[in-house]
Amino acid sequence: MKYKMKGLFLVVCLCLTQYMVQGQVKQYYHKDPEGMLEQQSKILFEQAYKILDAYPPDTLQVDERKLALSALDGLLHDTRLDTSRAVKNYFKGNVDRIIDSLGKNTADRGVRIFKVYNHGFILKSKSVTIAIDIVRGGRYKYIDEDQIQKLVDLSDILFVSHYHGDHADPMVAEMFVRQGKKVIVPSGLWENKSDGYIHLRNTNSYLTTTIELDRRRKLGVDVFPGHQKDVLNNIYAITLPESITITHTGDQSNKNDLSWIKEMKNRVTTDVLLLHCWTPNLKEVVEGIDPRLIVTGHENELGHSIDHREPYWLTYEKMKAVSKPYIIMAWGEIYHYK
């Protein structure tokens, strides 16, 4: 009897232990495929970023980073996850990382490059913080409004390359305007809405100007008259007070613009080129701009069908044609260009 009671006690303990473990992480997913995908995605996102944190953005294209980015490709090409809690939490974690770093870190020299989502970036130097093509994330609004508000609070100015919704978000722009911050846009976008919008480029000619943030801080801005097919797409070359020039391509894709793109290096010296990864005529564009460093963007846009959610692995393949040093970053990552 004593041994029976002891055995019963052990069984009860094992059952309680299993119950407690299951309360933390579910152990069985039979007939719960959605639950399994959620948990599997959560774990894969976490593991991928552990590797990315251990091997941060660099021009040395190490296999560990490639493997982690390829894992993200697999997750972000599974349309079943587009509305999942795992993807929503993934965005929240990435943007929180950026907000935390923007609030704490100041680049004493050079500029910190934050990759937010899609082809959206934030640039932070010692004197200025610049937002480019920041959006909430398409129809599913992956980035919460309160997170966007914090990004706006921490930025000085917004640049918008063209009117497509994956680059131009009217709510984000209005947040900047309400704080008295300038929003730089191409002609035809948000016309007559507010004096806070500065429309640069109303012709097909090159433009150079100065944007005053306040009495002490000015940005040099060169605007090149690009197009995505027939859509006006400003290519901005932004020169910071620290004399670092960052060029952002938007969604430039009109081959008729190649003639002047091939001569861009004669007008501006680009330190960092923020290049959309699906750029047509990639080799010619890079040679024409002649940057010191390339940082790619526009991978894995969730608003696209899977054949146009440009994967990181494909960006690696395309960049083999380029002789310049380059960096491929995940959302939420930071690179300090010195």
Side-chain angles (χ1 to χ4, degrees):
M1 183 68 177
K2 178 174 72 173
Y3 293 110
K4 287 185 178 179
M5 291 299 294
K6 185 176 181 180
L8 181 60
F9 176 76
L10 288 173
V11 170
V12 171
C13 286
L14 286 171
C15 290
L16 285 172
T17 301
Q18 185 180 51
Y19 176 79
M20 290 172 67
V21 171
Q22 287 180 346
Q24 297 171 5
V25 178
K26 186 175 179 178
Q27 299 293 299
Y28 302 101
Y29 290 92
H30 183 56
K31 297 184 178 180
D32 183 16
E34 294 83 5
M36 190 205 72
L37 283 173
E38 284 279 2
Q39 185 62 20
Q40 176 176 276
S41 302
K42 176 179 179 293
I43 289 171
L44 286 174
F45 279 131
E46 290 173 353
Q47 291 300 317
Y49 273 80
K50 283 182 181 179
I51 296 172
L52 294 174
D53 287 341
Y55 298 90
D58 197 285
T59 56
L60 301 172
Q61 313 302 332
V62 299
D63 288 339
E64 289 84 355
R65 276 191 65 82
K66 289 181 180 180
L67 184 60
L69 291 172
S70 295
L72 295 180
D73 286 333
L75 288 165
L76 298 172
H77 276 69
D78 188 340
T79 57
R80 294 172 298 175
L81 301 175
D82 285 0
T83 58
S84 68
R85 184 172 62 255
V87 167
K88 182 69 175 178
N89 289 338
Y90 168 63
F91 270 89
K92 179 172 174 51
N94 288 340
V95 178
D96 281 344
R97 287 159 63 105
I98 293 173
I99 291 168
D100 182 64
S101 186
L102 279 172
K104 291 180 179 178
N105 295 329
T106 299
D108 293 329
R109 51 191 285 260
V111 58
R112 290 185 184 272
I113 301 169
F114 298 78
K115 190 171 185 177
V116 184
Y117 167 63
N118 197 33
H119 206 28
F121 293 86
I122 292 179
L123 315 172
K124 182 177 177 64
S125 69
K126 186 174 182 179
S127 65
V128 66
T129 304
I130 299 167
I132 307 174
D133 284 2
I134 301 299
V135 297
R136 286 170 289 169
R139 58 178 173 167
Y140 297 126
K141 304 296 184 290
Y142 290 110
I143 304 177
D144 292 335
E145 187 172 335
D146 63 328
Q147 289 182 305
I148 290 290
Q149 185 63 65
K150 290 176 182 176
L151 294 178
V152 174
D153 294 342
L154 293 164
S155 301
D156 297 308
I157 188 171
L158 172 67
F159 285 81
V160 177
S161 62
H162 64 292
Y163 78 77
H164 287 156
D166 56 331
H167 295 257
D169 188 323
M171 192 200 81
V172 176
E174 283 298 315
M175 285 180 168
F176 274 88
V177 169
R178 283 199 296 269
Q179 292 192 9
K181 296 175 180 178
K182 294 181 173 68
V183 177
I184 312 302
V185 299
S187 59
L189 177 60
W190 304 322
E191 295 277 5
N192 304 317
K193 288 198 68 173
S194 168
D195 292 338
Y197 297 107
I198 299 176
H199 295 84
L200 294 184
R201 175 214 162 143
N202 52 16
T203 67
N204 286 328
S205 61
Y206 163 83
L207 170 70
T208 183
T209 188
T210 300
I211 303 294
E212 290 191 5
L213 299 177
D214 52 40
R215 292 181 180 179
R216 297 179 297 105
R217 300 178 301 162
K218 298 178 181 179
L219 300 175
V221 180
D222 294 274
V223 184
F224 293 88
H227 301 82
Q228 183 182 10
K229 294 184 179 178
D230 295 327
V231 174
L232 297 185
N233 177 88
N234 282 354
I235 298 178
Y236 297 110
I238 307 165
T239 301
L240 312 183
E242 290 80 7
S243 299
I244 297 171
T245 299
I246 312 291
T247 297
H248 184 276
T249 58
D251 276 353
Q252 173 61 39
S253 59
N254 190 316
K255 293 182 180 180
N256 294 328
D257 294 328
L258 266 180
S259 58
W260 57 259
I261 290 176
K262 290 179 179 180
E263 304 299 324
M264 280 181 62
K265 61 188 175 186
N266 298 325
R267 289 192 176 272
V268 296
T269 299
T270 295
D271 292 288
V272 181
L273 174 62
L274 304 178
L275 176 75
H276 61 300
C277 64
W278 55 271
T279 301
N281 304 101
L282 177 63
K283 189 172 183 291
E284 294 92 331
V285 169
V286 169
E287 289 177 351
I289 298 174
D290 194 27
R292 292 190 170 96
L293 174 70
I294 299 169
V295 176
T296 67
H298 224 307
E299 294 95 349
N300 286 310
E301 186 197 336
L302 296 183
H304 284 171
S305 57
I306 60 171
D307 55 304
H308 193 28
R309 296 186 186 190
E310 307 295 328
Y312 293 114
W313 66 260
L314 184 56
T315 299
Y316 277 114
E317 291 297 311
K318 291 177 179 178
M319 295 303 288
K320 290 178 180 178
V322 172
S323 59
K324 293 290 182 178
Y326 66 91
I327 290 173
I328 299 176
M329 297 168 65
W331 307 329
E333 286 200 295
I334 307 159
Y335 179 73
H336 190 176
Y337 176 78
K338 301 177 183 179

